Amino acid sequence: MILYTPLSELDIFPISETDYTKLRSISYKGKNIYVENISDGNYKIIQLISTDPSDFLNENYSPGTLISYQDSNDI
């Protein structure tokens, strides 16, 4: 089935509540991002929230990028 819609995939097929508890909105290096908790201190970037188009060209904020941190001030 092909669905032609301007809606996001998550709007049509929402994630389960157990998967939703893994997501978290954080500020990373001054940018707001949604991340998924992979393990203790390791996160996978899900989505960048920004109004600056140049932020989306920065590979550090690409969806799927793994980030880790040692200090809570870094995130």
Side-chain angles (χ1 to χ4, degrees), residues 3-51:
L3 207 58
Y4 296 100
T5 178
L7 298 176
S8 150
E9 176 186 352
L10 294 176
D11 291 334
I12 298 167
F13 306 109
I15 60 176
S16 68
E17 188 148 339
T18 57
D19 290 339
Y20 186 73
T21 58
K22 293 180 183 179
L23 296 180
R24 190 171 153 197
S25 176
I26 62 170
S27 177
Y28 177 69
K29 295 184 180 180
K31 307 296 179 193
N32 292 325
I33 58 174
Y34 279 108
V35 294
E36 178 182 357
N37 190 357
I38 301 297
S39 63
D40 189 32
N42 294 317
Y43 294 90
K44 179 171 75 170
I45 295 177
I46 302 298
Q47 183 180 14
L48 170 66
I49 309 298
S50 177
T51 57

